[in-house]
């Protein structure tokens, strides 16, 4: 009897550990993600960090947070964004108008100045993107965000400022 209880206890623990440790999330499969690769971007992101010619900005994506080494930018200055996903789920990274301005996640993604899709920002991944803010970005309401539905709603967005 004790062996049977021990056996089922071990099996239950193994099941729970495998279920809780899964990196797949239904939130990462939000419909808005299909448009991520279609959003306009200055340059594409690469799989690993590369030495860029612009000012380096470190961005860390975790579950429900975005931290950035810099949130104030100037138009015409090249920036190299080094984006690291330290969370337990895939994320995307965008420079876009806030949802309050864009009205929806899809509109925010469609009007994003820079979009790095979740395929490049899986768990533990780092991507780089070089970007120069255009004159039209000065004074706009913009933010860094993860535009996956539940991620954005749970707080994965940070206001940024762009000046001339």
């Amino acid at each position: 009897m004790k062996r049977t209880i021990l056996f089922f206890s071990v099996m239950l623990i193994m099941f729970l550990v495998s279920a809780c440790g899964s990196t797949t999330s239904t939130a990462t499969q939000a419909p808005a993600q299909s448009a991520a690769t279609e959003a306009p971007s200055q340059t594409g992101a690469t799989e690993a960090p590369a030495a860029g010619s612009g000012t380096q900005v470190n961005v860390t994506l975790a579950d429900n947070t975005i931290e950035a080494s810099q949130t104030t930018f100037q138009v015409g200055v090249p920036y190299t964004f080094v984006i690291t996903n330290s969370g337990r789920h895939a994320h995307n990274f965008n420079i876009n108008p806030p949802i309050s301005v864009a009205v929806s996640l899809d509109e925010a993604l469609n009007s994003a100045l820079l979009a790095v899709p979740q395929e490049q920002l899986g768990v533990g991944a780092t991507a780089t993107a070089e970007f120069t803010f255009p004159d039209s970005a000065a004074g706009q309401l913009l933010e860094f965000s993860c535009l996956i539905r539940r991620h954005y709603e749970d707080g994965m967005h940070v206001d940024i400022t762009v000046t001339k």
Side-chain angles (χ1 to χ4, degrees), residues 43 46 49-59 69-70 73 77-83 114 127-132:
T43 62
T46 58
S53 60
T55 301
Q56 183 169 315
V57 178
N58 296 315
V59 179
S69 62
Q70 183 174 337
F73 303 94
V77 175
Y79 295 95
T80 300
F81 292 95
V82 178
I83 309 139
L114 175 69
T128 61
E130 294 196 4
F131 183 75
T132 302

Side-chain angles (χ1 to χ4, degrees), residues 37 43-51 81-85 91 116-130:
T37 56
T43 62
T46 58
E47 292 295 320
F81 292 95
V82 178
I83 309 139
T84 303
N85 180 359
H91 295 292
V116 180
Q118 75 181 49
E119 291 79 19
Q120 294 181 5
L121 288 169
V123 176
T126 297
T128 61
E130 294 196 4

Side-chain angles (χ1 to χ4, degrees), residues 96-97 99 101-112 147:
N96 58 275
I99 299 303
V101 172
V103 182
S104 72
L105 287 172
D106 290 335
E107 287 300 316
L109 188 57
N110 289 335
S111 58
L147 289 174

